[in-house]
Amino acid sequence: MKRILWLLFLLLGSLTIQAQSDYHTRQAQAYQREAARYTRQAEQYDREAARYNQQAQRHLREAERHSRRKDYAQVRTCQQRARRATDQAETYTRRARNARDRAQQYLRRAERELEKKR
């Protein structure tokens, strides 16, 4: 009887360990998915920043063209547009950096979960 109880106890203990291991694996996978999502988001932000930088360059070329024509009101307007586009580019660059940092955090969490599994 003691032997049967002992085997039953070992069997239940191993099932509990297996369940915990599965939990840690699933949790690590969830963290990896979140990291991938933030990485994709950072890439999108980088594309937006590049688009705004191109816009700023276009506005500056336009301001230069107006300057040659001595249309200074348009020069000022184009410079303001370029400044706004540059500000937007900086904003999206900061968002991309933050998203990459968040992705790194989730990857570290996933790594810790996999270490708990061992």
Side-chain angles (χ1 to χ4, degrees):
M1 184 67 174
K2 283 185 177 181
R3 202 176 264 180
I4 292 173
L5 286 175
W6 181 249
L7 287 174
L8 186 61
F9 178 72
L10 285 176
L11 180 64
L12 288 176
S14 67
L15 288 177
T16 303
I17 291 172
Q18 181 63 31
Q20 287 176 347
S21 176
D22 288 345
Y23 167 78
H24 292 303
T25 301
R26 285 193 313 272
Q27 193 65 34
Q29 289 170 345
Y31 286 145
Q32 288 171 341
R33 283 191 300 273
E34 283 296 308
R37 183 174 71 86
Y38 280 110
T39 301
R40 286 190 304 272
Q41 192 176 46
E43 291 168 355
Q44 178 64 31
Y45 287 146
D46 283 335
R47 284 191 291 274
E48 286 294 316
R51 186 174 68 84
Y52 279 113
N53 279 327
Q54 288 173 349
Q55 237 180 34
Q57 289 173 353
R58 191 171 55 245
H59 289 307
L60 288 175
R61 281 194 302 270
E62 191 175 333
E64 185 179 335
R65 194 180 78 234
H66 287 296
S67 174
R68 279 180 285 185
R69 294 180 183 171
K70 299 189 186 323
D71 187 2
Y72 298 115
Q74 279 297 335
V75 169
R76 194 168 125 242
T77 301
C78 290
Q79 286 174 341
Q80 288 172 346
R81 288 178 184 161
R83 195 173 307 114
R84 278 196 301 271
T86 302
D87 290 343
Q88 284 291 84
E90 289 173 358
T91 298
Y92 278 102
T93 300
R94 186 181 66 250
R95 288 178 182 174
R97 185 179 58 247
N98 290 342
R100 277 194 196 82
D101 290 345
R102 186 73 54 92
Q104 285 294 326
Q105 290 172 0
Y106 276 105
L107 286 176
R108 282 192 294 271
R109 288 179 186 176
E111 186 178 340
R112 281 195 298 269
E113 284 297 323
L114 290 176
E115 287 174 358
K116 289 179 186 177
K117 179 182 172 182
R118 294 181 195 144

